[in-house]
Amino acid sequence: MGEGDTRGSLRSQVEALSGQSIAACYQCGNCSSGCPMGEWMDALPNQLIRRLQLGLEDTARFESPWVCASCFACGVRCPKGIDVPRVMEALRVVGLRSGEDHVGPDALEAKRLAGLPQIALVAHMRKETG
Ligand code: SF4
Ligand code: SF4
């Protein structure tokens, strides 16, 4: 798919907001294998990026960007130098701008909530108020 095909697409919005090249990802999976929040995500970081590469426009509605704790482990591990946390942040911004609901603490099962690291909850609150 050429650049002209992605103008106005979710992928182009994410690239503009994050400053990252989605095409640069070659799906090695390093980002996802080091993600401490992957267990709670509905799509792993590399899967979200693959969806963007494929032009799947519903990718901003996934919960994963809201589960992301912004720990930066994925970006550090990326051999292509992609700042994956910025991609996650861009997906959150697109979601917020579209007025889509995102996950709140009251939407999480008590059992899951009890098992979440404290940093995940703090990061989540910052996103909701930021
Ligand atoms: S920044 Fe988010 S996506 Fe990246 S490793 Fe941390 S929790 Fe996972
Ligand atoms: S580590 Fe980088 S190149 Fe590998 S899948 Fe993740 S974003 Fe793509």
Side-chain angles (χ1 to χ4, degrees):
M1 183 180 288
E3 286 303 313
D5 299 321
T6 60
R7 193 178 305 157
S9 67
L10 176 59
R11 171 176 157 178
S12 64
Q13 290 178 65
V14 168
E15 288 188 326
L17 286 164
S18 69
Q20 306 303 301
S21 168
I22 297 303
C25 170
Y26 62 178
Q27 289 294 307
C28 68
N30 274 5
C31 50
S32 299
S33 66
C35 176
M37 301 306 292
E39 185 180 342
W40 292 281
M41 290 181 172
D42 48 5
L44 293 169
N46 74 298
Q47 293 172 329
L48 289 176
I49 291 174
R50 186 60 182 148
R51 293 183 63 82
L52 292 173
Q53 289 174 334
L54 293 172
L56 299 175
E57 297 293 313
D58 64 344
T59 305
R61 292 200 288 274
F62 277 61
E63 290 189 0
S64 298
W66 298 102
V67 175
C68 168
S70 301
C71 71
F72 299 103
C74 50
V76 170
R77 296 168 65 97
C78 178
K80 297 292 286 183
I82 300 169
D83 193 333
V84 184
R86 293 191 76 167
V87 173
M88 301 298 257
E89 175 67 12
L91 285 168
R92 290 193 291 270
V93 169
V94 171
L96 284 172
R97 288 181 179 175
S98 68
E100 292 280 347
D101 268 347
H102 50 271
V103 66
D106 54 348
L108 299 173
E109 295 171 26
K111 197 171 105 184
R112 283 191 172 191
L113 204 54
L116 281 179
Q118 191 176 26
I119 190 173
L121 293 176
V122 171
H124 172 73
M125 294 306 173
R126 284 184 181 147
K127 288 171 202 162
E128 273 212 307
T129 57

